[in-house]
């Protein structure tokens, strides 16, 4: 009887080994196939998503470029307008500037992108501001954007705050020449562009529950981020890993790229591309979990 029990146990052991062997032989290819399928699908989805997000970033950068190109065309046309050119002569002879003021008010109403439009003498004194300020506009003589405008003829500044009002924005300046002598500068026409006019291109992008776009200046300032705490790239880097440092470094050098990183404890995926009219880069980030949800 004991011998029978040993035989039965031996048979059961052999049967278990055979079953295990069959499971390995049949299951291992399925596991390998499943892993390869998952890896292939993941790579395909990542490639497709990278391409789509990259196209979206490029489109956003192009919209920003088109916006500033349009603003430059407008200021070119206005600076050559006779009423603008003659305004400086009228001011010199203490004549009222009602006509040119109406012109700029009408233009400002049709283009709600300005916090201010200024006519400025060559020594930096504003002779007309639209809209009219309760207090006198600031003197622009020592402002870097003003001196660069006089040097280059037309100049687009970095984002800053307007002294006296504290309004954030960007100055676009254009030298105005004499009506009868196109070689003699008489003053400067300047647009002060609202942040919403250019930041809204990035602000309007929402990808999933945690995806967003940001604008980063190549000098290290953050032009737009949905979280106002992050005003510089240093603020961002304090909350990310080494991979994020690499991406930020490449984006501030005007490079195009993409990759994974960690930020505030979340795993994310980022694509970035530079603008052409401004020293900025557009970055679009999505949550890694949402990116891989369908595959998982």
């Amino acid at each position: 009887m004991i011998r029978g029990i040993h035989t039965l146990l031996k048979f059961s052991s052999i049967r278990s080994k055979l079953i295990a062997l069959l499971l390995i032989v049949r299951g291992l290819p399925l596991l390998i196939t499943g892993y390869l399928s998952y890896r292939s699908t993941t790579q395909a989805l990542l490639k497709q998503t990278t391409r789509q997000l990259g196209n979206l970033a490029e489109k956003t950068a192009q919209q920003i470029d088109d916006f500033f190109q349009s603003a430059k065309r407008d200021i070119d046309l206005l600076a050559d307008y006779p009423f603008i050119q003659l305004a400086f002569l009228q001011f010199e002879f203490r004549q009222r500037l009602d006509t040119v003021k109406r012109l700029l008010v009408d233009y400002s109403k049709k283009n709600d992108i300005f916090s201010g439009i200024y006519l400025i003498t060559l020594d930096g004194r504003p002779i007309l501001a639209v809209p009219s300020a309760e207090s006198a506009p600031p003197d622009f003589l020592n402002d870097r954007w003003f001196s660069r405008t006089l040097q280059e003829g037309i100049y687009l500044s970095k984002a800053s705050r307007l002294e006296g009002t504290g309004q954030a924005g960007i100055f676009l300046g254009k030298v105005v020449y004499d009506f009868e002598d196109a070689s003699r500068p008489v003053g400067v026409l300047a647009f002060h562009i609202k942040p919403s006019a250019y930041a809204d291109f990035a602000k309007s992008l929402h990808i999933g529950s945690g995806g967003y776009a940001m604008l980063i200046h190549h000098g290290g300032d953050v032009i737009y981020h949905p979280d106002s705490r992050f005003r510089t790239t240093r603020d961002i880097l304090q909350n990310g890993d080494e991979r994020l440092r690499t991406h930020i470094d490449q984006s501030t050098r005007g490079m195009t790229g993409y990759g994974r990183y960690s930020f505030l404890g979340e795993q994310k995926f980022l694509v970035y591309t530079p603008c052409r009219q401004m020293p900025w880069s557009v970055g679009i980030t999505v949550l890694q979990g949402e990116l891989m949800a369908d595959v998982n």
Side-chain angles (χ1 to χ4, degrees):
M1 182 176 176
I2 295 174
R3 183 180 296 176
I5 293 174
H6 280 299
T7 302
L8 182 60
L9 291 173
K10 184 177 182 181
F11 176 75
S12 298
S13 177
I14 293 173
R15 184 174 63 179
S16 298
K17 291 178 179 178
L18 287 173
I19 292 173
L21 182 61
L22 286 173
L23 287 175
I24 292 173
V25 170
R26 292 187 177 183
L28 187 59
L30 290 177
L31 290 173
I32 294 174
T33 302
Y35 170 74
L36 293 177
S37 176
Y38 173 81
R39 184 175 178 180
S40 175
T41 304
T42 299
Q43 291 176 342
L45 178 61
L46 185 61
K47 184 176 181 180
Q48 179 183 7
T49 303
T50 301
R51 182 172 62 250
Q52 292 174 341
L53 292 176
N55 290 339
L56 184 58
E58 289 178 2
K59 180 181 178 182
T60 304
Q62 185 61 57
Q63 289 175 324
I64 293 171
D65 289 337
D66 291 344
F67 168 78
F68 284 112
Q69 285 178 329
S70 177
K72 285 182 177 180
R73 286 194 297 268
D74 282 5
I75 204 169
D76 272 336
L77 290 173
L78 277 177
D80 289 338
Y81 202 67
F83 282 119
I84 299 291
Q85 295 173 320
L86 291 172
F88 294 94
L89 183 63
Q90 290 176 296
F91 175 77
E92 185 177 341
F93 285 97
R94 301 182 181 278
Q95 297 178 6
R96 296 175 62 88
L97 304 179
D98 294 343
T99 301
V100 69
K101 183 176 183 178
R102 284 196 300 270
L103 170 71
L104 293 179
V105 167
D106 289 343
Y107 174 75
S108 180
K109 288 180 178 179
K110 294 176 182 177
N111 300 272
D112 187 27
I113 62 174
F114 308 113
S115 56
I117 302 176
Y118 301 92
L119 290 182
I120 309 166
T121 62
L122 295 176
D123 59 0
R125 291 181 300 146
I127 63 172
L128 180 64
V130 173
S132 299
E134 294 181 0
S135 57
D139 188 311
F140 298 110
L141 182 61
N142 296 320
D143 288 7
R144 185 173 183 272
W145 72 266
F146 184 74
S147 60
R148 290 291 297 273
T149 300
L150 294 179
Q151 293 170 10
E152 301 180 20
I154 185 170
Y155 182 72
L156 193 60
S157 77
K158 63 180 294 186
S160 60
R161 292 192 176 275
L162 180 60
E163 186 179 346
T165 67
Q167 292 176 314
I170 288 175
F171 268 107
L172 173 59
K174 176 72 168 64
V175 173
V176 179
Y177 292 90
D178 184 76
F179 178 70
E180 294 182 340
D181 184 357
S183 64
R184 187 172 76 88
V186 291
V188 168
L189 170 64
F191 294 159
H192 191 244
I193 304 173
K194 298 176 182 178
S196 59
Y198 47 85
D200 279 358
F201 293 110
K203 188 177 181 180
S204 63
L205 297 180
H206 302 282
I207 305 95
S209 63
Y212 55 84
M214 54 186 170
L215 290 175
I216 294 178
H217 191 283
H218 294 170
D221 292 331
V222 174
I223 305 300
Y224 170 76
H225 192 286
D227 191 331
S228 59
R229 292 177 299 169
F230 305 117
R231 297 186 176 183
T232 68
T233 54
R234 182 179 298 178
D235 298 332
I236 293 176
L237 292 174
Q238 288 176 349
N239 297 278
D241 60 3
E242 194 61 33
R243 294 173 298 175
L244 178 58
R245 184 174 298 277
T246 299
H247 295 316
I248 293 295
D249 178 64
Q250 290 180 344
S251 67
T252 54
R253 287 191 284 150
M255 299 173 64
T256 298
Y258 62 89
R260 297 182 176 91
Y261 69 102
S262 176
F263 184 72
L264 290 174
E266 294 181 317
Q267 298 302 311
K268 295 190 172 188
F269 185 82
L270 173 71
V271 298
Y272 44 92
T273 193
C275 299
R276 305 299 177 189
Q277 290 293 313
M278 299 294 285
W280 300 351
S281 283
V282 176
I284 298 179
T285 180
V286 295
L287 292 173
Q288 184 74 21
E290 293 185 350
L291 179 67
M292 304 306 300
D294 291 340
V295 176
N296 294 332

